[in-house]
Amino acid sequence: MTATPSPLVLMLRKLETHAVLDAADRVAMLALPYTLRTYEPSSYLVREGDAPEQCAVLLSGFAYRQKLTGAGMRQIVSLHIPGEPLDFQHLFLDVADHNVQTLTRAEVATIPRTALRELARTRASIGNAIFINTLVEASIFREWILNIGRRDARSRLAHFLCEFAIRLDMQGLTGGEGYELPMSQEQLGDALGLTAVHVNRTIKSLEIDGLITRNRRRISFPQWDALRELADFSSRYLHLAQQRL
Amino acid sequence: MTATPSPLVLMLRKLETHAVLDAADRVAMLALPYTLRTYEPSSYLVREGDAPEQCAVLLSGFAYRQKLTGAGMRQIVSLHIPGEPLDFQHLFLDVADHNVQTLTRAEVATIPRTALRELARTRASIGNAIFINTLVEASIFREWILNIGRRDARSRLAHFLCEFAIRLDMQGLTGGEGYELPMSQEQLGDALGLTAVHVNRTIKSLEIDGLITRNRRRISFPQWDALRELADFSSRYLHLAQQRL
DNA sequence: CGATCCATTGAGGGCGATCAAAAACCGTGG
DNA sequence: CCACGGTTTTTGATCGCCCTCAATGGATCG
């Protein structure tokens, strides 16, 4: 009956968490040309300075955006989970201003930028959906700034963990309680503006207080509400259609 | 001969720094309905939680975006100069996720959101220009994260001063050398993730090193290249049409 | 000329960085 | 199954950047 489902349905689902699309929109979007590719951990999908011609969508695995200072310090500026488009940020810009890298092994669908732009132009609702997606991303950037600028290490880490939990949940990627954190403490530090050593101590401190439990990189949340309060976390900035928290 | 120029030409000029518009686009944009209003310093233009119905454009004066932690700490997440649209970030979102406040007395043109959305829908090039504008803003957010997360106070402040200089210059707002910083050291601290006291000491340290000179809030740059190097500043992330630096 | 806001300066403390090393974990191959 | 090199996590000790608290000085404006 049905053909094998296009891997782009993942992106579709993501876009539909913030925008309304009709059947024709869905068909048009799933008709986009794409190529599949698998990347090893730490592969570059976009390099600062590149002229982006493709638009990558993450199908499985995790990725992040990253910038480097002249002195070589790394700052991760966002984290991406399966289903999220990675290159809308460059859809209309000629030169990439940051790097995009895989965190884990990842499957990616690559769509020609021109096809996507054409689709956005001809179907206004899809154009809107793409726009909304980048607006929500911008909102997450703002909260990230607040988190790094004004919260201490414990709250900062807690906030990060909360955001990741909610976003995984939104995409239906949580298997019951907790999740596997797909990054090293070094990378966690780069995301939070801390050192790996201090991340380690901060995680342990949360663990000792019973706010999280850990097994390798698997984290769960026996006291979600307490963690959320410490994190000063409100999901408003994620612009969930239905505010679940 | 010519009618009094619409105040919206300022926004038009801003959009045209990143996108190409034709004569018809310009006419259509200048035909947008708007109302003028003047705000006192520290007035709220948008409050977190609001349902934004208007889109404000800054005609004169300065403004900033800001978020607060539960504990009441403030983080400024962006700064805006005359000509910049302030509400594209909320054009397609139902609830504001941050506050927008004037820094100085400011004149603002307010455009109904529906009119702007309609214009973006019917004229693709204008829709693109608006999209590009938000993409560039997102890029500035990312650099802001890097700045706060990974640079020490001196470089951080220097980077902020460089960015402001370049952006003023882009909009043709620099009268010769240096500029008047439209904010208190307290506000600078809130922008940089520092305390006002430390901002004071950091400014003085830049001054002692001869990297800036000050008179009240007027700042000039006798050693621009040295400051730029300390700041680790590259203008790539601003996506200037012609890279001037 | 007081009131208020802002800039400045000092003293002291703490959070997170730095440096260094050990321990745990991982995939690989003998 | 164990030996291994490489990565990641963990822990300790010390340092320093920036914060906190507090007070003074300057500027502006009724």
Side-chain angles (χ1 to χ4, degrees):
Chain A
M1 294 297 234
T2 64
T4 66
S6 162
L8 296 183
V9 294
L10 268 180
M11 173 171 71
L12 196 55
R13 185 193 306 163
K14 169 70 186 176
L15 289 179
E16 289 194 282
T17 59
H18 296 119
V20 176
L21 299 178
D22 62 26
D25 294 327
R26 289 193 200 96
V27 170
M29 175 148 275
L30 295 181
L32 279 168
Y34 64 87
T35 58
L36 291 179
R37 187 152 168 214
T38 301
Y39 291 88
E40 292 303 303
S42 294
S43 305
Y44 278 85
L45 298 177
V46 178
R47 269 181 201 276
E48 184 173 347
D50 278 359
E53 291 307 328
Q54 305 289 322
C55 176
V57 176
L58 198 53
L59 300 177
S60 71
F62 296 87
Y64 61 97
R65 300 180 194 280
Q66 165 257 99
K67 300 195 77 164
L68 300 171
T69 66
M73 313 208 70
R74 185 190 340 275
Q75 177 67 47
I76 292 175
V77 301
S78 72
L79 198 60
H80 294 279
I81 69 178
E84 294 187 340
L86 298 175
D87 286 299
F88 286 177
Q89 292 292 337
H90 291 124
L91 199 52
F92 287 95
L93 297 177
D94 295 330
V95 179
D97 54 68
H98 64 278
N99 305 291
V100 181
Q101 240 177 321
T102 56
L103 208 41
T104 62
R105 175 187 287 266
E107 288 176 296
V108 163
T110 296
I111 304 169
R113 202 165 79 137
T114 50
L116 204 54
R117 278 160 73 153
E118 181 62 15
L119 181 63
R121 197 179 63 71
T122 53
R123 299 201 68 86
S125 50
I126 290 182
N128 283 359
I130 291 175
F131 194 12
I132 290 172
N133 183 269
T134 73
L135 291 180
V136 172
E137 259 200 84
S139 174
I140 295 174
F141 287 139
R142 289 188 287 268
E143 183 73 20
W144 203 288
I145 293 172
L146 173 64
N147 202 33
I148 291 180
R150 288 303 187 202
R151 285 196 265 258
D152 67 18
R154 272 168 61 92
S155 297
R156 206 184 294 181
L157 175 58
H159 191 281
F160 180 90
L161 295 175
C162 286
E163 176 181 318
F164 198 55
I166 299 291
R167 285 173 60 193
L168 285 177
D169 197 37
M170 272 198 309
Q171 278 284 88
L173 292 170
T174 55
E177 58 204 86
Y179 52 78
E180 182 91 10
L181 200 61
M183 59 205 304
S184 70
Q185 293 175 8
E186 178 93 40
Q187 291 164 329
L188 215 36
D190 286 340
L192 297 171
L194 299 169
T195 58
V197 171
H198 199 63
V199 166
N200 182 278
R201 296 187 163 112
T202 307
I203 291 186
K204 195 169 61 163
S205 133
L206 293 183
E207 196 177 15
I208 287 173
D209 290 357
L211 295 172
I212 61 172
T213 59
R214 279 191 303 161
N215 191 336
R216 292 291 306 137
R217 289 184 180 174
R218 176 148 209 101
I219 299 196
S220 49
F221 308 98
Q223 298 189 55
W224 174 257
D225 287 343
L227 184 71
R228 198 171 148 277
E229 178 166 353
L230 170 67
D232 184 30
F233 184 84
S234 156
S235 65
R236 166 176 286 157
Y237 74 99
L238 294 174
H239 293 279
L240 312 182
Q242 71 282 23
Q243 299 289 335
R244 0 193 136 187
L245 207 54
Chain B
M1 294 297 236
T2 64
T4 66
S6 161
L8 296 185
V9 294
L10 268 181
M11 173 171 70
L12 195 54
R13 184 191 309 164
K14 169 70 186 175
L15 289 179
E16 291 194 281
T17 59
H18 298 297
V20 176
L21 299 177
D22 62 25
D25 293 327
R26 290 194 199 95
V27 169
M29 175 148 274
L30 295 181
L32 280 168
Y34 64 88
T35 58
L36 290 179
R37 190 157 164 208
T38 301
Y39 290 89
E40 292 304 304
S42 294
S43 305
Y44 278 84
L45 298 177
V46 178
R47 269 181 202 277
E48 184 175 345
D50 278 358
E53 291 306 328
Q54 306 288 322
C55 177
V57 176
L58 198 53
L59 301 177
S60 71
F62 296 87
Y64 61 98
R65 301 181 193 280
Q66 166 255 101
K67 301 195 76 164
L68 300 171
T69 66
M73 312 208 71
R74 185 190 340 273
Q75 177 67 47
I76 293 175
V77 300
S78 72
L79 199 60
H80 293 280
I81 69 178
E84 294 187 340
L86 297 176
D87 285 298
F88 286 177
Q89 292 292 338
H90 289 126
L91 198 53
F92 287 94
L93 297 176
D94 295 331
V95 178
D97 54 68
H98 64 278
N99 305 290
V100 181
Q101 241 177 319
T102 56
L103 208 41
T104 62
R105 175 187 289 265
E107 289 175 295
V108 164
T110 296
I111 304 169
R113 202 165 79 137
T114 50
L116 204 53
R117 279 160 71 153
E118 181 62 14
L119 181 63
R121 195 179 64 72
T122 53
R123 300 201 67 85
S125 50
I126 289 182
N128 283 359
I130 291 175
F131 194 13
I132 290 173
N133 183 269
T134 73
L135 291 181
V136 172
E137 259 199 85
S139 174
I140 295 174
F141 287 139
R142 288 189 288 268
E143 183 73 20
W144 204 288
I145 292 173
L146 174 64
N147 203 32
I148 291 180
R150 287 305 187 202
R151 284 197 265 259
D152 68 17
R154 273 167 61 92
S155 297
R156 207 184 294 181
L157 174 58
H159 190 281
F160 179 90
L161 294 176
C162 287
E163 175 180 319
F164 198 54
I166 299 291
R167 286 174 59 193
L168 285 176
D169 198 36
M170 273 198 310
Q171 277 285 86
L173 292 171
T174 54
E177 57 204 90
Y179 53 78
E180 182 91 11
L181 242 198
M183 60 205 303
S184 69
Q185 293 177 5
E186 177 94 39
Q187 290 164 329
L188 259 181
D190 286 341
L192 297 171
L194 299 169
T195 58
V197 171
H198 199 64
V199 165
N200 182 280
R201 296 187 162 112
T202 307
I203 292 186
K204 195 168 59 163
S205 133
L206 293 183
E207 195 176 16
I208 288 173
D209 290 357
L211 295 172
I212 62 171
T213 59
R214 281 190 301 160
N215 191 334
R216 293 286 306 134
R217 288 185 181 175
R218 176 149 209 100
I219 300 196
S220 48
F221 307 98
Q223 298 190 55
W224 173 257
D225 287 343
L227 184 71
R228 197 171 148 278
E229 178 166 352
L230 170 67
D232 184 30
F233 184 84
S234 155
S235 65
R236 165 176 286 158
Y237 73 99
L238 294 174
H239 293 279
L240 312 182
Q242 72 283 24
Q243 299 289 337
R244 4 192 135 188
L245 207 55

